[in-house]
Amino acid sequence: MDDAVYYYMPLFRQGVSVQFGQSRETVSHVVIRRNAMRVYLVGHDAPVHPDMLTLEPTAFSLARVPDHF
């Protein structure tokens, strides 16, 4: 039986296609500074707050792994 817990959240990374307003854009890079995340889009000079972007969530599985000595 699998006892892993799954979490779903958007994974912003280079090359991912996101919805920004009415258009599809591509992520150039992501910057985390002073506890704030900003997403830069290809062809845009200013960063975008992640809440302004729509991206299908990615599933993450967390499970304990025994320590091996």
Side-chain angles (χ1 to χ4, degrees):
M1 184 156 97
D2 187 14
D3 61 348
V5 175
Y6 292 92
Y7 297 93
Y8 299 89
M9 60 185 285
L11 179 60
F12 296 101
R13 61 181 178 187
Q14 183 179 11
V16 170
S17 179
V18 295
Q19 185 77 31
F20 180 52
Q22 298 298 320
S23 63
R24 298 295 294 176
E25 302 287 343
T26 302
V27 173
S28 171
H29 59 286
V30 177
V31 174
I32 300 174
R33 185 177 297 142
R34 296 183 185 166
N35 296 325
M37 182 169 127
R38 295 291 185 250
V39 180
Y40 285 83
L41 303 174
V42 174
H44 294 264
D45 293 331
V48 176
H49 192 276
D51 289 344
M52 297 178 67
L53 303 172
T54 305
L55 176 61
E56 197 66 33
T58 300
F60 292 90
S61 172
L62 302 179
R64 291 189 178 267
V65 178
D67 292 333
H68 296 316
F69 292 93

